[in-house]
Amino acid sequence: MSRVEDFEELRPLLFAISYRILGSVSEAEDAVQETWLRYESTPTEPASPRAFLSAVVSRLSIDVLRSARVRREAYVGPWFPEPLVSDPYEDPQRSAELADSVSMAALLLLERLSPLERAVFVLREVFGFGFAEVAAAVGRSEEACRQLAVRARRHMEAGKPRFEADRAERDELADRFFAALREGDVEALRDTLAADVAMVGDGGGKAPQWARGVIGAENVARVATSMITTFVGIGGTVEPCETNGQPGAILRDRDGRVLNTWSLEVLDGQVQTIRTVLNPEKLGHLGPLADPWAVVREANQSRRRPT
């Protein structure tokens, strides 16, 4: 195959690696593009395009992550990964690892690792690279990579919930959640929520958001149903879909433009966390964007109109 064909065949893998290291769709796409430029300009043909390209995209992603971490420390409000609606890479033999590793909860756990630990964990634990390949990719010895992998695995295991939801049960619960939300049924929605459920939004200071989140089943049920009932009343739609491998939705204004995304974390048969991404800088890859401030103004005007 030509270099172009090799690269295009491996592009989904390269994006999948970079996204898990960075938690950013736009930065991962940039890293993949830069990887192509370096591959194209390499004078000699690599013995293994897969190994070469994976190493290049990993190193680029590590460098980007180091600078991104500084920006994230100054981020306004909670920082969440850019929502991923469709993971381009598939591997039936590692489907469970791939799905788990792309969830919002897992990506937020990965944020606690150092850039090197994160890259080693992604390459080794998620994609099953051998330690020789991992060492070549991150520029460390195999022994050092083994130690990094142990530390990363320990941190990730410590942060994982003890009881994860069965996929069928999770999807059935999500169906009930979004049905109650659209119908404005506070009681039915409350029944899907954990007592200490949290609804938290990432607006990055660029969109309306809940400054400290909404906590507790009663509060979340009332706030969410009131908000969505008003939103649907002004022509908005709630479009259920998988977000980062978990039940979620895209909210669109009357013209079909993206307003925000919702992602549900389901544990022990209940919705434990609702994470919404409202920052328009994190949503551009999903399509044309709504003006969140305009939507809020219209929603407020709708509430004040006499019935």
Side-chain angles (χ1 to χ4, degrees), residues 1 20 30 95 128 131 168 175 183 188 194 220 223 244 260 293 299 301:
M1 289 195 295
R20 286 163 174 80
D30 288 345
S95 58
F131 276 110
D175 288 343
E183 293 164 10
V220 169
V223 169
N244 288 82
N260 63 26
W293 301 103
Q301 290 169 0

Side-chain angles (χ1 to χ4, degrees), residues 6-7 10 14 35 39 48-58:
D6 280 336
F7 181 80
L10 291 164
L14 303 178
T35 298
Y39 184 40
S48 168
R50 179 180 182 272
F52 175 85
L53 292 168
S54 299
V56 172
V57 83
S58 297

